[in-house]
Amino acid sequence: MIVMKFGGSSVANAERIRHVASIIKAYKDKKPVVVLSAMGDTTDYLLEAAENALKGNVDTRQIIDLHNRTQAELGIGGDSISSGELIVLQTELTQLLTGILMIRELTAKTRDYLVSFGERMSVRIMAAYLRKEGIPAKSYDAWDAGIRSNSDFMNAEPLEDVWRTIPEHLNAYKNGETAEIPIVTGFIAKDANNVITTLGRGGSDLSATLIGAAMGADEIQTWKDVDGIMTTDPRICPDAHRVEEVTYEEAQELAYFGAQVLHPRSMLPCIRTGIPVHVMNSYNLDSPGTYIVSKHSGAPNPVCAITMVKHSTLIDIVSSRMLGASGFLAHCFNQFLKWNISIDVIATSEVSVSLTVNTKADLSGLLHDLGQVAEVHAKTNKSIVTVICDAAHSSELLAKGFRALADNGINVQMISQGASKVNVSFVCDDDEAPTIVKILHGAYFGGSAA
């Protein structure tokens, strides 16, 4: 058995759905379970419809037209199961938006219910098209595949019970008692009260890895529009190349620092079971992709990849009054907890702390509170450039990187090595970041530099 996960861009329209169906057909002998996101921008359309309802206007035409047009283009209007279920879902959606209009309120609980319609409609269309093509398939809402969560709406966590309930729902398929390929909604679940929830960031990836891990799949495939994990963003370095293999830990760090890999939390079921993830290109079926594994099959490359996150704020906190006094760092970190602001990278000494946070956060309260015990400076328009590497060679790698940067007259503003020992991060100005990525990529991988 394998699990195949396709994102929204992969099923954005009839043409893409036909293509994904051809990929599923090619793997049908491996007993695939397919996890889908909503079609294209459907989730954004649903949230936009909710905003319009709050203003007094119920309009579902954009959403309904997309799915009905796709159904017509795929020639599946005659599939009574799909057509009937789509009509029911579309009627239910209109009723929900009418309710939002009447009470003029959109709670987290209602929002989760609202956005679930995208995934629920996409799996029904895909299953119907596969049936039309002669491939037995059945659509599943996530809870019908055993995925249950807590009631933390908009960011729900799967219950421990899923390790039992998912096999209970899918073992008949795995054991060959039924031939219908399960087409399962990603991103959504139900809580103990049968209320729909969403799994938050990386939710569809988490749905796929949960199913794969619970079912003991041979591998979990996540299909994207690139050849796998790349040494850096090809838009910055055209000579970036595919990475054959990374560990779960390296993949988590890549995702934390901007690479379009699986969300870090979606790695947890794989780490627990050791099941590999195969990142593949839906536009290039000949590419071998990238494997994410528990440990390298051979000697790891000294540098795995280079990532970049722009639009950060660098905060310098200095307090000579706290020299030798206990509690300085505790006080600083407590302020971040109070204001619910996450720290990205950090460097410390006894009386100073330098760190970065997301610029989108409102920092006014945090900076005021920190200013009560320290001198605080916040600098915006900063980027984090991270080298994912083998810590055993960190001194050699840092020397090579700094030499390349110095040769190009660039000084970074902060350095941080993560506790995981697989990353070193540099903080610089936003406008310098692409150049730094190019220089480091040239130093570590050869090819063109800045």
Side-chain angles (χ1 to χ4, degrees):
M1 172 179 279
I2 62 172
V3 175
M4 309 174 75
K5 182 261 176 178
F6 296 91
S9 62
S10 294
V11 291
N13 52 45
E15 179 184 359
R16 298 302 304 148
I17 289 173
R18 288 191 191 97
H19 182 64
V20 168
S22 71
I23 296 174
I24 296 169
K25 186 174 183 179
Y27 282 88
K28 64 182 176 62
D29 292 339
K30 294 184 179 291
K31 298 197 74 67
V33 176
V34 180
V35 176
L36 296 185
S37 296
M39 288 182 61
D41 296 323
T42 299
T43 300
D44 290 336
Y45 295 158
L46 287 163
L47 293 172
E48 182 181 337
E51 289 299 318
N52 289 333
L54 289 170
K55 297 173 184 176
N57 178 35
V58 172
D59 186 355
T60 60
R61 286 173 298 179
Q62 191 173 31
I63 301 158
I64 291 177
D65 286 353
L66 169 64
H67 292 83
N68 288 352
R69 182 174 66 252
T70 300
Q71 184 177 232
E73 291 176 3
L74 293 172
I76 56 175
D79 187 304
S80 58
I81 298 175
S82 169
S83 297
E85 291 182 349
L86 279 177
I87 290 170
V88 170
L89 287 172
Q90 291 168 359
T91 302
E92 187 180 342
L93 171 60
T94 302
Q95 291 170 342
L96 173 60
L97 289 169
T98 302
I100 293 171
L101 178 148
M102 293 178 67
I103 63 175
R104 291 295 201 273
E105 185 179 59
L106 180 64
T107 64
K109 179 179 178 181
T110 303
R111 184 187 183 279
D112 279 3
Y113 179 22
L114 172 74
V115 298
S116 75
F117 285 91
E119 275 74 13
R120 292 156 74 193
M121 287 190 285
S122 73
V123 297
R124 284 158 173 81
I125 288 175
M126 177 61 77
Y129 182 68
L130 287 169
R131 290 193 294 268
K132 175 179 177 287
E133 294 298 298
I135 303 168
K138 179 182 177 181
S139 62
Y140 284 74
D141 292 327
W143 44 91
D144 295 325
I147 299 180
R148 295 281 174 164
S149 74
N150 63 15
S151 302
D152 186 6
F153 298 105
M154 296 175 60
N155 195 33
E157 289 293 334
L159 300 177
E160 184 66 19
D161 287 353
V162 299
W163 295 92
R164 170 183 56 83
T165 55
I166 291 173
E168 286 178 354
H169 288 78
L170 296 179
N171 268 344
Y173 171 68
K174 183 178 182 180
N175 297 335
E177 297 167 29
T178 175
E180 294 176 313
I181 296 174
I183 313 297
V184 186
T185 56
F187 182 56
I188 62 177
K190 271 188 177 179
D191 67 8
N193 298 313
N194 281 325
V195 176
I196 294 174
T197 62
T198 61
L199 301 178
R201 291 186 62 192
S204 290
D205 288 333
L206 180 56
S207 302
T209 56
L210 269 178
I211 292 172
M215 295 301 297
D218 297 318
E219 70 177 29
I220 299 157
Q221 299 176 350
T222 178
W223 291 80
K224 299 183 177 294
D225 57 0
V226 292
D227 281 343
I229 296 173
M230 307 297 285
T231 51
T232 196
D233 188 338
R235 293 170 296 184
I236 298 174
C237 295
D239 54 355
H241 56 268
R242 179 182 59 84
V243 180
E244 293 184 5
E245 182 183 78
V246 300
T247 64
Y248 298 133
E249 189 176 38
E250 289 169 338
Q252 283 183 310
E253 295 290 343
L254 282 164
Y256 275 127
F257 291 104
Q260 296 299 310
V261 196
L262 275 73
H263 191 274
R265 68 198 285 256
S266 69
M267 294 286 180
L268 298 178
C270 302
I271 293 171
R272 176 168 170 171
T273 58
I275 292 175
V277 177
H278 196 179
V279 183
M280 305 177 75
N281 190 348
S282 60
Y283 294 88
N284 180 11
L285 303 186
D286 293 329
S287 171
T290 299
Y291 277 98
I292 306 174
V293 293
S294 56
K295 62 181 181 179
H296 286 287
S297 56
N301 292 324
V303 175
C304 168
I306 302 168
T307 67
M308 178 183 74
V309 176
K310 302 188 79 172
H311 311 307
S312 290
T313 295
L314 174 63
I315 301 176
D316 293 320
I317 308 165
V318 181
S319 180
S320 58
R321 290 179 293 154
M322 299 299 290
L323 181 62
S326 62
F328 173 54
L329 287 178
H331 177 82
C332 291
F333 293 143
N334 281 336
Q335 304 315 308
F336 286 88
L337 175 63
K338 172 184 175 181
W339 292 100
N340 194 30
I341 294 173
S342 298
I343 297 170
D344 294 323
V345 296
I346 184 169
T348 68
S349 71
E350 189 168 10
V351 296
S352 68
V353 183
S354 294
L355 49 84
T356 65
V357 298
N358 192 314
T359 299
K360 293 180 181 178
D362 180 2
L363 303 178
S364 55
L366 170 69
L367 297 176
H368 175 269
D369 286 355
L370 289 172
Q372 301 305 302
V373 297
E375 183 178 343
V376 181
H377 300 283
K379 306 167 187 173
T380 58
N381 301 317
K382 303 299 177 183
S383 289
I384 306 167
V385 175
T386 300
V387 179
I388 308 299
C389 60
D390 178 6
H393 302 279
S394 60
S395 296
E396 174 189 343
L397 295 172
L398 282 171
K400 180 181 285 189
F402 279 124
R403 187 161 53 248
L405 293 173
D407 289 346
N408 285 271
I410 291 179
N411 293 307
V412 297
Q413 298 167 33
M414 175 181 148
I415 308 164
S416 175
Q417 181 168 354
S420 64
K421 306 303 181 189
V422 298
N423 80 73
V424 178
S425 295
F426 305 87
V427 176
C428 60
D429 290 335
D430 276 343
D431 56 6
E432 281 186 316
T435 299
I436 289 176
V437 170
K438 290 179 183 177
I439 292 169
L440 293 175
H441 193 271
Y444 295 133
F445 297 105
S448 60

